Amino acid sequence: MIAPSQLSEPAVRAFVNAVNAGDRAAFQEALTPGATMSDDGSDRDVAQWADKEIFSSGGHMDVETEADGGRSLVVAYRNDTWGEMRTAWRFEVTADGRVSRFETGQA
């Protein structure tokens, strides 16, 4: 596992730390206004998805590997709804260091 503090991309590091802390404010700060996302290839509303999959269900990311300068992760993701699953995450990061889009799905 890779400790979140060791992740190469600061914006992704902030995202993972916010998820693992269950910190909605930090999660929003890690994202650009109007950030988008997809889950298993389908675009989702970020706020609704995050509430269901992260904040109301104890979501947690254990990073197994990173690639693409830290913008692609393989994660053991767990929450109270689905248990643990191996997932792939891809992030688009803006010049100001925030996530503008993330995509997740089964790895």
Side-chain angles (χ1 to χ4, degrees), residues 2-90:
I2 301 171
S5 63
Q6 299 301 309
L7 294 172
S8 300
E9 170 56 58
V12 173
R13 186 180 323 129
F15 181 99
V16 172
N17 282 328
V19 169
N20 288 351
D23 187 335
R24 289 177 192 264
F27 182 79
Q28 287 300 326
E29 184 61 30
L31 302 175
T32 62
T36 61
M37 59 95 43
S38 72
D39 185 358
D40 283 329
S42 297
D43 279 4
R44 309 280 185 194
D45 177 271
V46 173
Q48 289 176 352
W49 183 90
D51 183 61
K52 180 181 176 189
E53 302 293 339
I54 299 170
F55 300 112
S56 67
S57 61
H60 189 87
M61 302 174 79
D62 286 324
V63 179
E64 295 179 5
T65 63
E66 70 172 359
D68 191 27
R71 294 182 184 198
S72 294
L73 307 177
V74 173
V75 171
Y77 186 79
R78 67 180 180 274
N79 66 25
D80 297 338
T81 303
W82 306 108
E84 185 169 312
M85 63 196 110
R86 195 163 187 257
T87 55
W89 296 72
R90 289 175 303 285

Side-chain angles (χ1 to χ4, degrees), residues 11-12 32 36 71 90-94 98-103:
V12 173
T32 62
T36 61
R71 294 182 184 198
R90 289 175 303 285
F91 298 88
E92 294 177 16
V93 177
T94 60
R98 295 167 81 188
V99 174
S100 61
R101 180 172 177 82
F102 65 95
E103 299 173 354

